[in-house]
Amino acid sequence: AKEGQVKSNELFRASGIMALGTIISRITGFVRGILIVAVLGTTLLADTYNVANTMPNILYNLLVGGALTAIFIPQLVRSFDHEDGGDDFASRLITTISLILLVLVSLGMFFAPALVRLYAPEFFTTGFETEQEIAIAFTRYCLPQIFFLGLFTMLGQVANARGSFGPLMWAPIANNIVGIALFGGFLIFSPGIDISSITSNQVALLGWGTTFSVVVQALVLVPVIRKLGISIKPKLGVSGLGKSFNLAGWTLVYVLISQLGYLVTVNVATTAAVRSAQENVATGVGYTPYTFAYFVMLLPYSIVTISIITAILPHISKLALDGKRDEVKAQLIRAIRLVGVITVPSAVAFLLFGPLITESIFIGIPTEDSRYIGYVLSALSFGLVTFSINLILIRGFNAFEDTKTQVISILVINVFSVAMSYFFLYSLKTQWITVGLGVAFSASYLIGLFVTLGLLKKHVGKLAISEFFGQHLRLLIASLLAMVPLFIMTQYISWFTADLTRAARAGELLVVMVVAFFAYILAAKALHIEEISMIRHLGSSISRRSAKTEENE
């Protein structure tokens, strides 16, 4: 137990600097998200922007991103043994992918109307011509992000493979700062815009400004690569990339299935938005509430899970190459247990306090709209735990360079999610369809967890849910002991003082967060959960890792 605890602490310290960068990135991203909602609201204008701004990420991940993230780290690690230290492989990789991305951007901008029709067909119904036009314009302005997302990911993966993790987590802060300036300026100089009053120049400014923020994010990594002594030059040809692209083929199938599932989510959500407008439902219930509830739900995942996954992937890739299957299994279990310390209480908090959280942070819109985002967040809540575990397990497949088997897992997840999404579309009232999408997400990843565990057996032996279920159950009990009394208190306050101001609700949320934090730690220690010590070591771990990173770099 002591050996496992020591290794767990080492894993957490290794991800400390990334966690710090991600925390700051998510805080600035939070501010940016709040400003987007304040400027665009949560109804159809916001949906036209969010569908368009999501499109580059969808297409990028669909055709390139998943393969870059999952496949090329092991290949980059292998290339270090080459005479040039891997510079030639990295140069050919970046040049080849960049050319693919440029072609993809050109095709996407030409076929922008077809893309919008694919993801938001309800915008093409009679009476919604304005929404259609604005969505197509936003899409064309945002699609060039694909190239710079690819550049950012490739440079970041090269840095990661050389042991420099921090910059990839810190660069998005620059992206968010540009976004904050953009939407903050709109809030000051063009308040109150809506679908009928926004001008073509304003659409262009928002679209190109959003793309510029991604450009800045990518270019921040250029001096980092130079500082690491990596020589990247344009180099045509695919010599040495054959295995990488062969492995990437199955990863593309994996991402294709995932994005087709997300296509259904966007379709169902925008259908709900259009129905809402037709039925004169005042509350925004479409894609935008789902987007920002999902954004809040992913905060713990982004801060903790991504940091730990990024830290362990090069390590478990090496263990897999050396044939140390038991060590890979042990690292995956440690990662799951560490991540659970944050994701389990976060899930309980989102379930119980979703409306209070979103009502406090999403200002500038009607209270009903911000509270509705909270209902969606509550529905998404327990998907956070299983989604995080599933992503960790998928990295196990990546370490063994098995991109084929994991396709079965994502297929099961998305088949179930799609079926539930359409069931809710036709069975729920319009105002509850988006909440139903949150339920579909959570339920599908719960089922997918069991499938993924079974599939991973071929590489690491039996990896039973009992390896971490007991610890997660104790984390759940600790979270409920800490938060249920607070939930009862907030409900009592709401029943008898329903007219609280936004500031008062924010104060209420602050008190709940502080009390819940300390109560959770005490309850977890009482239940003898060893991994809870990772919270106690957070500050010192980040400081030590930060100092070490600066010294190495």
Side-chain angles (χ1 to χ4, degrees):
K2 288 184 178 179
E3 181 183 355
Q5 180 65 22
V6 169
K7 291 183 177 179
S8 294
N9 288 336
E10 289 176 354
L11 175 58
F12 181 64
R13 283 195 295 270
S15 63
I17 188 64
M18 290 182 292
L20 177 61
T22 307
I23 288 169
I24 298 175
S25 174
R26 289 298 165 173
I27 290 173
T28 53
F30 228 165
V31 174
R32 176 179 181 163
I34 291 169
L35 289 173
I36 291 174
V37 173
V39 170
L40 301 178
T42 61
T43 51
L44 285 172
L45 175 59
D47 277 8
T48 62
Y49 172 82
N50 286 313
V51 169
N53 192 38
T54 302
M55 204 87 69
N57 290 278
I58 292 173
L59 294 175
Y60 164 72
N61 286 322
L62 179 61
L63 298 176
V64 178
L68 282 175
T69 302
I71 298 304
F72 292 116
I73 281 186
Q75 295 299 302
L76 284 167
V77 171
R78 286 178 182 271
S79 74
F80 293 165
D81 295 331
H82 300 171
E83 290 184 5
D84 65 346
D87 288 353
D88 182 75
F89 178 86
S91 295
R92 289 182 186 277
L93 172 66
I94 291 177
T95 302
T96 303
I97 299 298
S98 294
L99 291 174
I100 293 172
L101 292 175
L102 284 174
V103 172
L104 179 61
V105 168
S106 301
L107 291 173
M109 293 181 73
F110 181 79
F111 291 106
L115 289 173
V116 174
R117 183 182 289 273
L118 178 65
Y119 278 89
E122 294 297 321
F123 287 167
F124 288 79
T125 56
T126 303
F128 291 89
E129 289 79 11
T130 301
E131 287 80 1
Q132 174 193 142
E133 181 182 341
I134 293 174
I136 292 171
F138 271 137
T139 299
R140 286 197 166 115
Y141 298 141
C142 291
L143 279 174
Q145 294 175 30
I146 293 173
F147 176 82
F148 294 98
L149 285 169
L151 181 62
F152 166 72
T153 303
M154 288 185 290
L155 295 179
Q157 297 299 349
V158 170
N160 280 357
R162 292 293 177 93
S164 177
F165 301 107
L168 189 66
M169 298 297 176
W170 287 85
I173 298 172
N175 181 329
N176 292 329
I177 290 173
V178 174
I180 289 170
L182 174 66
F183 285 93
F186 257 82
L187 195 60
I188 294 171
F189 299 108
S190 301
I193 58 173
D194 57 30
I195 197 72
S196 61
S197 64
I198 191 170
T199 67
S200 57
N201 287 336
Q202 289 173 327
V203 171
L205 181 57
L206 285 174
W208 285 122
T210 301
T211 295
F212 178 68
S213 67
V214 180
V215 175
V216 172
Q217 173 181 281
L219 296 183
V220 163
L221 291 182
V222 173
V224 173
I225 294 297
R226 290 179 178 174
K227 190 175 180 180
L228 289 171
I230 303 170
S231 177
I232 303 294
K233 299 177 182 178
K235 204 155 196 174
L236 295 174
V238 294
S239 176
L241 300 181
K243 182 177 181 180
S244 297
F245 284 101
N246 182 50
L247 290 169
W250 281 107
T251 301
L252 294 181
V253 175
Y254 178 95
V255 178
L256 173 63
I257 294 170
S258 178
Q259 294 304 327
L260 287 175
Y262 194 69
L263 167 62
V264 171
T265 297
V266 177
N267 269 326
V268 171
T270 53
T271 298
V274 171
R275 284 187 187 177
S276 174
Q278 293 170 334
E279 297 170 9
N280 294 318
V281 176
T283 303
V285 300
Y287 178 61
T288 296
Y290 183 87
T291 297
F292 285 100
Y294 188 78
F295 175 72
V296 176
M297 185 273 290
L298 283 186
L299 283 175
Y301 162 80
S302 302
I303 293 171
V304 179
T305 310
I306 287 295
S307 298
I308 290 178
I309 284 175
T310 305
I312 70 169
L313 183 54
H315 179 51
I316 64 174
S317 295
K318 188 176 185 305
L319 290 174
L321 290 172
D322 295 339
K324 298 179 179 179
R325 295 174 34 164
D326 290 340
E327 272 298 306
V328 173
K329 176 181 174 180
Q331 288 288 349
L332 293 174
I333 293 171
R334 290 186 191 109
I336 291 171
R337 290 168 68 92
L338 284 174
V339 166
V341 172
I342 302 298
T343 56
V344 172
S346 297
V348 174
F350 293 153
L351 176 68
L352 298 179
F353 304 109
L356 176 61
I357 293 171
T358 57
E359 187 180 339
S360 300
I361 62 179
F362 289 110
I363 58 176
I365 59 175
T367 301
E368 293 76 12
D369 288 357
S370 59
R371 189 177 293 129
Y372 185 82
I373 298 175
Y375 296 145
V376 182
L377 176 60
S378 294
L380 287 166
S381 59
F382 275 94
L384 168 63
V385 179
T386 50
F387 178 75
S388 296
I389 295 174
N390 194 74
L391 263 290
I392 292 172
L393 296 175
I394 290 299
R395 291 305 182 264
F397 289 108
N398 299 150
F400 289 96
E401 298 184 343
D402 177 6
T403 56
K404 181 178 180 180
T405 306
Q406 58 185 277
V407 170
I408 301 172
S409 172
I410 199 65
L411 179 62
V412 172
I413 289 170
N414 279 276
V415 166
F416 192 81
S417 177
V418 166
M420 287 193 69
S421 297
Y422 279 122
F423 172 76
F424 290 137
L425 175 63
Y426 295 109
S427 64
L428 295 179
K429 293 183 178 180
T430 300
Q431 60 265 40
W432 296 112
I433 291 174
T434 311
V435 176
L437 289 174
V439 174
F441 174 88
S442 295
S444 62
Y445 271 96
L446 176 60
I447 292 173
L449 172 59
F450 292 95
V451 176
T452 308
L453 284 170
L455 293 171
L456 194 57
K457 180 179 179 180
K458 65 181 288 188
H459 293 298
V460 299
K462 185 178 180 181
L463 203 168
I465 197 170
S466 59
E467 302 272 11
F468 53 85
F469 179 76
Q471 183 241 21
H472 273 50
L473 181 60
R474 283 180 288 144
L475 289 170
L476 176 60
I477 293 171
S479 302
L480 291 173
L481 289 173
M483 297 183 207
V484 168
L486 293 169
F487 174 72
I488 294 172
M489 180 195 74
T490 58
Q491 292 302 300
Y492 178 85
I493 292 173
S494 297
W495 290 334
F496 290 95
T497 54
D499 57 346
L500 283 178
T501 63
R502 286 286 182 91
R505 296 289 278 175
E508 181 184 359
L509 176 61
L510 179 61
V511 171
V512 166
M513 289 174 60
V514 172
V515 175
F517 175 78
F518 288 106
Y520 167 66
I521 292 179
L522 291 173
K525 286 184 176 180
L527 292 170
H528 306 291
I529 301 172
E530 294 179 358
E531 290 81 8
I532 200 66
S533 62
M534 69 179 287
I535 296 179
R536 181 165 53 85
H537 293 308
L538 177 61
S540 59
S541 297
I542 290 175
S543 299
R544 286 195 297 271
R545 179 63 182 171
S546 179
K548 184 177 179 181
T549 301
E550 291 176 1
E551 180 182 342
N552 291 340
E553 295 181 5

